[in-house]
Amino acid sequence: MRRFREQVQNTEGGTDLIIRTSVRLMVPFIQLFGLYVIVHGHYSPGGGFQGGVLLGSAFILLALAYGVEYSKKYMSEFANFLTVNIGVFIFVGFGILCALVGGFFLDYGAMANVFPMPLPEWRYWGVFVVEVGVGMGVMGIMVSLYWDLASAGSRKEGL
Amino acid sequence: MIWQLDLIILALVVICALAAINVRDLLGASVIFGVYSFLMCLLWAEMGAVDVAFTEATVGAGVSTILFIAAIFRTTRRSKD
C-alpha cells in the first residue's frame, strides 16, 4: 500500500490526486476483464472485438488521467504499430492458411488435413486464434484513435 | 421478455434521442448520447441479445463518448445552428 501511494504521488503530470489514484486502481482490473472476455469469447458473450475495446479503453483511461506522454511509456508508438499489424496478420494469415490447405477462407475444419486433431477441436481452437488477432488489432486502433484525436494529430500532449 | 419493461426503456430511449439532437451544448449532447447508448444496451440485454448489448456497452457508451468529448475539446463547444 505504501509503495502504491508513493507511485501515485511521485508521477508528475495529470490532474487530481483522486482521479490519478482511482485510475491506477481500475486499470489492472479492466485489463484482466478484457483478457477474460477475449479468452472466453468463443463460448460465452463477448469476443475479440469487445475484449479489444476493453483493453484499449484501459490505455485510454490512463492517457486521459495522466496525459498522452505518460501512457506512451507503457505502450510506445512502435509497440502500438506492431500490435495492430500482428493482429491483422494473425487474422488474415490464419484465414489464408485454411484456404491453402484445402478449405475456404477461415474454414478452420480444413486444418485437420495437415495437423491431426479432431474436426470439432480444430473448429474450437481456430475461432480462438482468430479472436486473439481481432483483439490485438482493435486494441491498437482504439488507442491510436484516442492519441490522434486528443492531441490534434501531434501525439505530444493530451487534453 | 417483459413487455412493460421494454416499453419503459423504449420511451426513455426516445426521450434521450430527442434531447440529444435538441440540446445546444455539444458536450451535454454527447453525454446524453452516452446515456442513450447505455439504455439501448439495457434494452438489448433485456431482449436476450447479450452479445450485442456487450458491444453497445463497450463501444457505444464507453469509447465513442470519450472520442466525442476529445473531438469537442479540440473544436468548439457551442453549436452554431
Side-chain angles (χ1 to χ4, degrees):
Chain A
M1 200 61 212
R2 172 176 296 183
R3 215 181 107 249
F4 182 79
R5 196 185 306 149
E6 281 167 4
Q7 258 184 346
V8 171
Q9 277 169 349
N10 287 338
T11 48
E12 70 273 5
T15 49
D16 197 45
L17 185 65
I18 297 171
I19 294 174
R20 281 187 288 163
T21 312
S22 54
V23 163
R24 252 191 199 278
L25 277 172
M26 275 160 69
V27 162
F29 292 105
I30 296 176
Q31 284 179 331
L32 195 65
F33 184 56
L35 285 177
Y36 171 84
V37 169
I38 289 181
V39 169
H40 289 247
H42 45 298
Y43 56 87
S44 72
F49 186 77
Q50 288 94 325
V53 171
L54 278 170
L55 282 177
S57 67
F59 271 100
I60 289 177
L61 204 59
L62 203 68
L64 202 63
Y66 286 87
V68 172
E69 274 305 312
Y70 186 79
S71 71
K72 275 196 213 160
K73 272 200 276 185
Y74 288 92
M75 187 161 75
S76 62
E77 277 186 65
F78 185 67
N80 190 29
F81 169 79
L82 272 185
T83 311
V84 175
N85 282 294
I86 288 174
V88 174
F89 180 73
I90 288 173
F91 180 80
V92 180
F94 197 70
I96 289 179
L97 193 66
C98 294
L100 284 181
V101 299
F104 298 110
F105 185 70
L106 287 177
D107 182 12
Y108 322 117
M111 290 294 282
N113 296 336
V114 278
F115 195 81
M117 206 156 66
L119 199 68
E121 292 261 312
W122 258 120
R123 296 235 163 94
Y124 185 86
W125 291 109
V127 175
F128 176 70
V129 171
V130 166
E131 301 247 339
V132 168
V134 171
M136 288 171 75
V138 170
M139 173 199 168
I141 287 296
M142 285 296 161
V143 175
S144 66
L145 260 181
Y146 177 75
W147 280 348
D148 275 337
L149 263 179
S151 62
S154 69
R155 293 190 168 191
K156 283 291 187 290
E157 22 107 50
L159 285 176
Chain B
M1 256 180 77
I2 313 163
W3 70 267
Q4 291 92 344
L5 197 59
D6 274 355
L7 211 60
I8 294 170
I9 297 175
L10 201 59
L12 285 173
V13 164
V14 171
I15 291 170
C16 278
L18 286 177
I21 53 175
N22 280 320
V23 160
R24 309 283 298 182
D25 189 3
L26 287 179
L27 189 62
S30 69
V31 171
I32 295 173
F33 197 63
V35 175
Y36 166 87
S37 287
F38 207 78
L39 285 171
M40 272 320 264
C41 158
L42 269 184
L43 190 61
W44 269 319
E46 203 267 331
M47 284 178 151
V50 187
D51 214 350
V52 187
F54 203 167
T55 313
E56 184 72 37
T58 50
V59 180
V63 173
S64 80
T65 308
I66 297 177
L67 292 183
F68 277 139
I69 290 173
I72 287 169
F73 264 89
R74 287 289 156 191
T75 53
T76 169
R77 188 172 160 181
R78 297 278 154 199
S79 85
K80 294 283 193 297
D81 55 335

